[in-house]
Amino acid sequence: MTASSPTPTTHASAPSSRRNLGLLVAAQSLGGASPPIIISLGGLVGQQLSSNPSAATLPVSLYQLGLALSTLPAAWLMHRQGRRTAYVLGAVMGLLSGLVAAQGIAQSNFMLFCLGTALAGFYGACVQSYRFAATDAVGEPSRQAQAISRVMVGGLIAAIIGPQVVIWTRDALPMTPFAGSFYSQALLALLALPLLAGLRLPPPAPKAVATDARPLAEIARSPQFVVAAAAGVVSYGLMSFLMTAAPMAMVGCGHSVGEAALGIQWHVLAMFAPSFFTGRLIARFGKRRITALGLVLIAVSGLLALAGLSLTHFWGSLVLLGLGWNFGFIGATSLLTECYRPSERAKVQALNDFLVFGTVAMASFGSGQLMHSVGWAKINAGMLPLIALVLVLLAVQGRGARPGSSLPA
């Protein structure tokens, strides 16, 4: 069954739209800074607190798992109480998670620290949905891709804020190394609270609460959802997996920890810098073409990684991986907006993010073991068939979209 064209929500005025997007960009900049803090320090703190070396990365994996498991309850809360209420609660959870993690360090309590990083998952789930709130803010389907892209610019700012917070605060409390960074994580969430409380997103149109919503299983079987979700899962899942494995591969090939960190920094910048123009590219060339371009760039990054083990190969591969993620993930998010009616959006967005971040969580748990068992080259070779499959799905579904149909290409 083909979904009808989404009924536009009540359009906000231009000044209100700009204000809401500005608040979302600022909130994304602050909320998006938490994951770099957790990911960069979680393993180090785990080594410091855990008696079992193999459990050192558990705090990071629990954060990813907490994010995946939180997508559904966060979406339910947004549907029942509105996005602003859910986002404010998310920031409160972010504040609490930073305090709990810092106390875990202060008390040398590994489980308490893990609890803190897991609690941050709910905040992460809310932050990830800011891109959907951007589509609500503008209303008009023709402007949604650019709105998503604009909010993702906040990720570029977060990619600078997070590492700088770690650098400046990790030794701020000499008796408890790294605790200062998690207190700072709590402070960033506190700063986001008034921004989120100031959101004034337009209410859904009356039709959005009508009983026209299809069962989720029916929507999930539609070609539009399958393609959008598959593109999002592959783009984000492969990026997360390879980003996690790359530093281990670089150090294992004789490169320094500093060189590995610099490679990740360039990768993160490449992830978010294109957001300044990705929306315009989608408006000009179409959602499917830009999504496909992202997947092709991820494939090229794998081929470059297979070509050699020099610093140039690693850094070039990571930059291409970041660029591919940006085009692939923003394109997939834009494709997802074609799949649902206003009355269906909360549950469809939740299912999509559960699939995407559930995959990321599994990648987080499995990357180290797979890197150890099969190696860097086979990991990069193994991702190519997945990308080819999604490209085929995009091509087939694109040909199936009739000109002038309710689901534009």
Side-chain angles (χ1 to χ4, degrees):
M1 177 177 176
T2 303
S4 59
S5 178
T7 304
T9 54
T10 303
H11 291 185
S13 65
S16 175
S17 173
R18 288 194 295 269
R19 177 180 178 277
N20 282 319
L21 285 176
L23 289 173
L24 287 168
V25 171
Q28 178 85 33
S29 303
L30 296 170
S34 289
I37 296 172
I38 295 170
I39 292 170
S40 61
L41 295 182
L44 296 174
V45 175
Q47 287 179 330
Q48 176 181 292
L49 300 182
S50 174
S51 58
N52 182 2
S54 64
T57 59
L58 183 62
V60 177
S61 297
L62 287 176
Y63 164 73
Q64 301 286 11
L65 181 62
L67 193 160
L69 295 178
S70 296
T71 54
L72 299 180
W76 178 86
L77 185 62
M78 291 175 210
H79 178 68
R80 300 286 295 184
Q81 301 295 330
R83 290 194 187 275
R84 183 176 62 178
T85 299
Y87 291 165
V88 168
L89 177 60
V92 170
M93 291 290 285
L95 168 63
L96 180 63
S97 71
L99 296 176
V100 170
Q103 280 301 301
I105 297 173
Q107 299 177 24
S108 298
N109 188 323
F110 181 61
M111 296 308 297
L112 187 61
F113 178 72
C114 287
L115 175 63
T117 61
L119 288 174
F122 186 85
Y123 187 28
C126 291
V127 172
Q128 288 295 338
S129 80
Y130 293 170
R131 68 191 196 279
F132 293 125
T135 66
D136 295 348
V138 298
E140 298 175 21
S142 61
R143 297 174 57 201
Q144 289 179 352
Q146 292 190 38
I148 294 168
S149 184
R150 181 174 173 185
V151 168
M152 296 294 281
V153 168
L156 176 63
I157 302 171
I160 298 171
I161 292 175
Q164 289 302 311
V165 165
V166 171
I167 292 169
W168 287 98
T169 64
R170 61 186 177 184
D171 297 319
L173 303 172
M175 299 299 293
T176 53
F178 307 123
S181 295
F182 288 92
Y183 282 125
S184 299
Q185 175 197 328
L187 177 60
L188 291 174
L190 179 63
L191 293 174
L193 273 171
L195 301 175
L196 296 167
L199 284 174
R200 296 294 184 269
L201 294 172
K207 289 185 179 180
V209 296
T211 57
D212 64 343
R214 297 165 294 161
L216 185 58
E218 178 183 330
I219 301 169
R221 290 193 300 268
S222 68
Q224 292 82 10
F225 178 85
V226 170
V227 171
V233 164
V234 170
S235 297
Y236 213 127
L238 289 178
M239 183 281 297
S240 177
F241 191 90
L242 292 168
M243 181 181 68
T244 303
M248 294 183 285
M250 292 181 71
V251 173
C253 291
H255 303 295
S256 70
V257 174
E259 289 168 333
L262 188 58
I264 294 299
Q265 179 179 339
W266 280 109
H267 163 73
V268 173
L269 290 173
M271 286 173 61
F272 293 104
S275 297
F276 287 104
F277 53 81
T278 304
R280 289 193 290 273
L281 291 176
I282 290 174
R284 180 172 180 179
F285 297 106
K287 301 169 185 176
R288 289 178 183 80
R289 288 190 180 94
I290 298 303
T291 304
L293 173 61
L295 291 166
V296 168
L297 286 172
I298 294 174
V300 173
S301 79
L303 294 174
L304 181 58
L306 290 170
L309 300 174
S310 71
L311 205 57
T312 301
H313 288 98
F314 276 109
W315 284 0
S317 174
L318 285 168
V319 168
L320 287 171
L321 181 65
L323 292 172
W325 174 85
N326 183 279
F327 294 143
F329 188 61
I330 293 179
T333 300
S334 300
L335 282 173
L336 190 74
T337 62
E338 297 180 353
C339 302
Y340 52 78
R341 301 164 182 165
S343 54
E344 301 164 346
R345 64 184 178 184
K347 62 184 180 182
V348 175
Q349 291 169 1
L351 176 60
N352 177 78
D353 277 6
F354 177 75
L355 294 173
V356 170
F357 297 108
T359 302
V360 171
M362 288 189 290
S364 175
F365 278 101
S367 60
Q369 180 61 36
L370 197 60
M371 179 67 195
H372 177 73
S373 59
V374 305
W376 176 245
K378 289 185 178 178
I379 287 175
N380 280 277
M383 76 176 184
L384 298 177
L386 292 174
I387 294 173
L389 175 61
V390 179
L391 287 173
V392 169
L393 291 175
L394 276 167
V396 171
Q397 203 275 322
R399 285 198 299 268
R402 299 183 304 275
S405 69
S406 61
L407 292 171

